[in-house]
Amino acid sequence: MKCNRARIQSWCIFLSGALSFLGIPMPSSHALSVPVRLVSTAKQPLARMLQEQDWGAAQAYVDQQGIKIIPEIRSIISDPELDPSTQLTAYGYLRPFHTLESTVLLAYGPIMEGRSNTVLGLLEDPRPEVYPILKARLDFPLSYPKNDLLLIMAQMPVPVGQRIADIRPYLGTKYIDTRYGAVFGLALLDFPGSNERFAYELGTKLPAAKAKFLSTFHQYSAWCIPKFMSVLIPVLNDSMPLKDIVVSHYREEGRNSYLVSQELHHVRAWDYALNILVNTLKIDVPFKVEDDVTYSKAQRDLVKQKLRDLGYTVTDEPYPVTDAQ
């Protein structure tokens, strides 16, 4: 995971606005842009444990403190003198505390870094107050894919029409990650034509684009829901190899799981699809479902028959291959 001090300081500038909203004093933006020595923060118990990488002690300390730990976490993530890895790790400890302050801090946090605790923390405690924060970050002048922001915005409790209006323009972005975030977000909101757009993206002839689209299913458990499964079924017949995939997908308990081992450098599209379908629909199969295996035709046929038994329409044809937009 790539990060740098400049990006951390950008998050700190965001935080100053968030904490002003909560009525909590913060240093000025000028102070945030210039590293200063905040000795008291570095000496706080949690900061010390994180810097020493004493993860067990850190977790025990957070558990003991409970909601009282939030001010200490706030001081860590707003201190530009601390190293970025310490600050990034501190965000993860906010997830269990479903308060307005913790949710706002998460909304200003490192969403784009694929931090599962940050993402899940927002999805577990969705609040309308954070929607304007997320929307503002779409226009923040950093060149990075913003699919995470769009995926979270789609699930915030604000009017559906507002969410559609804010997400729809990103269907045409040059960043494929961002574009796919918009596709999924609009599909979740039942925007007209969503299924057709799914079929188009799943039928691309570009392996990297197909892998990116399928990995979105893996990365967000929020998308692994039955309403998307009928669109995914034809991929069971798609033999396209997806090479050099390294996917970190989020488990419900917040644990990351990585797809590719050192020995395996590609899977096939049907392997992705089978894993998602079996896990999401809780299909009982007599073989082990794993992220790094290639399933036989007999195994795929068994899954297809079980899908038919569940009432899904299943053919032996994949999506027609199309050019990626």
Side-chain angles (χ1 to χ4, degrees):
M1 178 173 55
K2 297 180 180 179
C3 62
N4 53 49
R5 192 171 299 278
R7 180 165 288 186
I8 291 292
Q9 291 172 354
S10 297
W11 292 330
C12 291
I13 294 172
F14 272 123
L15 278 171
S16 67
L19 299 177
S20 295
F21 166 76
L22 293 171
I24 300 169
M26 277 283 289
S28 66
S29 60
H30 173 72
L32 288 169
S33 64
V34 179
V36 295
R37 182 171 298 280
L38 300 177
V39 178
S40 58
T41 300
K43 288 186 176 181
Q44 289 178 348
L46 182 59
R48 176 176 49 78
M49 294 171 189
L50 295 181
Q51 289 176 311
E52 294 173 356
Q53 299 185 7
D54 192 349
W55 313 125
Q59 186 62 63
Y61 176 69
V62 171
D63 293 341
Q64 179 187 43
Q65 294 295 309
I67 199 171
K68 295 184 295 183
I69 197 65
I70 294 178
E72 195 167 334
I73 295 174
R74 186 178 68 242
S75 67
I76 292 173
I77 61 183
S78 62
D79 183 353
E81 187 69 10
L82 292 177
D83 63 280
S85 63
T86 297
Q87 294 177 310
L88 287 171
T89 303
Y91 274 103
Y93 292 107
L94 288 168
R95 179 188 168 195
F97 306 114
H98 295 170
T99 69
L100 178 58
E101 181 180 1
S102 63
T103 305
V104 168
L105 290 172
L106 287 174
Y108 279 91
I111 295 171
M112 76 292 294
E113 292 291 346
R115 301 283 292 183
S116 63
N117 286 337
T118 303
V119 170
L120 289 172
L122 288 168
L123 295 181
E124 289 167 354
D125 186 31
R127 293 175 180 263
E129 292 90 346
V130 305
Y131 188 85
I133 300 171
L134 300 173
K135 182 179 177 181
R137 293 184 65 171
L138 288 173
D139 299 323
F140 192 64
L142 286 176
S143 297
Y144 62 82
K146 301 177 181 180
N147 53 306
D148 292 340
L149 289 171
L150 293 169
L151 290 166
I152 296 171
M153 286 172 61
Q155 299 171 75
M156 291 295 104
V158 301
V160 172
Q162 179 180 350
R163 284 179 277 167
I164 290 175
D166 293 334
I167 294 171
R168 188 178 180 184
Y170 291 88
L171 284 174
T173 182
K174 65 179 180 178
Y175 292 109
I176 192 170
D177 307 65
T178 303
R179 187 165 71 246
Y180 285 171
V183 171
F184 271 90
L186 293 174
L188 187 66
L189 298 172
D190 295 319
F191 184 71
S194 295
N195 282 358
E196 290 78 5
R197 183 61 182 255
F198 259 62
Y200 179 88
E201 301 295 354
L202 288 170
T204 177
K205 67 181 181 181
L206 298 179
K210 188 188 295 288
K212 182 63 68 175
F213 196 75
L214 288 169
S215 71
T216 306
F217 278 100
H218 273 294
Q219 289 175 326
Y220 276 80
S221 58
W223 301 114
C224 292
I225 58 179
K227 85 179 216 176
F228 291 134
M229 295 303 101
S230 60
V231 188
L232 186 65
I233 287 172
V235 185
L236 285 173
N237 305 306
D238 189 339
S239 62
M240 180 182 288
L242 306 174
K243 297 181 179 180
D244 299 322
I245 302 170
V246 180
V247 173
S248 171
H249 55 99
Y250 307 147
R251 304 294 191 183
E252 290 182 0
E253 68 274 17
R255 176 173 54 87
N256 281 6
S257 178
Y258 295 90
L259 179 58
V260 175
S261 65
Q262 291 296 323
E263 297 78 25
L264 187 76
H265 298 289
H266 74 274
V267 295
R268 297 188 182 275
W270 67 44
D271 301 321
Y272 254 122
L274 190 146
N275 285 345
I276 296 165
L277 288 161
V278 170
N279 289 330
T280 302
L281 299 176
K282 303 188 186 318
I283 298 174
D284 184 24
V285 293
F287 55 88
K288 191 172 182 179
V289 174
E290 299 179 282
D291 289 328
D292 57 354
V293 300
T294 297
Y295 298 105
S296 68
K297 184 178 185 301
Q299 290 172 321
R300 288 184 288 118
D301 285 344
L302 175 62
V303 171
K304 288 161 68 174
Q305 183 56 51
K306 286 183 175 287
L307 287 167
R308 293 187 185 99
D309 294 342
L310 290 173
Y312 288 97
T313 298
V314 184
T315 71
D316 294 323
E317 298 297 325
Y319 279 119
V321 173
T322 62
D323 291 322
Q325 289 184 338

